[in-house]
Amino acid sequence: MSGPVTMSLGLYAFEAHGFGYTDITRSLTTAWSSVDVVDRIEVLQWTGPKSEAVSIKGVLFPAEFGGEDNLEGIRAAAQKGEPLMLVSLDGGVFGEFVIESVNEERAYIDPRGTLRKNAWSIELKRFEQAGSGQSGGASQSIGLF
C-alpha cells in the first residue's frame, strides 16, 4: 500500500500514491412525466430516480508507485459482473455499483517493455436488486385496505 486510503471499491483501495485517482464525476438522472390538464399548461409529476453513475479517473506510474494489481482486480471484478460497495474515506457510503467499463491508455513503454504510465478510467453504475426500491404511495395505500 502506498499512502493513506482515500476511497475503496469493494476490496480495491484507492490510495494517495500508487492506485490513486485524479477525478470523480457523479451523475444522477431522475424522471418526470408530463400530465395534460384541462385549461392549463401541462403539469409535471416526478416518477422517481432513474440512474446514478460515477466515473473515476486516475494515472498510474507502476514502476515507481505500483497500483497495477488493483486495476487488474477491478478489471477481473468487471468480467465477473460483481456489484461492489463504493465507500469514501470521510465515511460516505455511495452504495453498490457495477463496473460498466475499464479504460486504459498505456504510454511510455521503456526499451525493456516496462510500462511507465497508465492513464485509466472506470465507469460505474448504481446497482439495485429487483424489488429493493421503495414502493410508491399507491401500493402502500392498497396494503391498508
Side-chain angles (χ1 to χ4, degrees):
M1 193 180 308
S2 299
V5 173
T6 57
M7 186 170 63
S8 69
L9 179 62
L11 299 174
Y12 308 102
F14 296 92
E15 304 161 343
H17 304 290
F19 187 58
Y21 56 90
T22 57
D23 302 276
I24 298 177
T25 305
R26 291 180 69 192
S27 172
L28 175 66
T29 304
T30 61
W32 291 82
S33 278
S34 297
V35 179
D36 291 333
V37 178
V38 175
D39 210 20
R40 290 182 51 196
I41 63 170
E42 64 188 17
V43 296
L44 295 176
Q45 179 179 1
W46 185 64
T47 59
K50 192 171 180 181
S51 67
E52 183 177 359
V54 174
S55 177
I56 306 170
K57 296 178 183 177
V59 178
L60 291 175
F61 299 97
E64 291 80 11
F65 302 111
E68 283 289 314
D69 291 342
N70 277 354
L71 188 58
E72 286 305 315
I74 288 174
R75 180 183 298 285
Q79 290 175 335
K80 292 178 186 173
E82 296 176 353
L84 301 171
M85 186 66 69
L86 182 62
V87 180
S88 69
L89 174 70
D90 63 4
V93 178
F94 297 101
E96 283 190 306
F97 285 79
V98 294
I99 303 164
E100 289 196 312
S101 68
V102 177
N103 303 296
E104 297 179 67
E105 186 179 320
R106 296 172 171 240
Y108 303 111
I109 311 298
D110 71 15
R112 293 185 307 271
T114 304
L115 175 64
R116 306 300 289 182
K117 178 183 175 186
N118 187 356
W120 56 268
S121 67
I122 302 168
E123 304 297 326
L124 307 172
K125 194 164 208 175
R126 173 69 74 114
F127 175 76
E128 292 287 336
Q129 293 273 359
S132 68
Q134 294 179 344
S135 56
S139 60
Q140 289 176 352
S141 298
I142 291 170
L144 296 175
F145 297 104

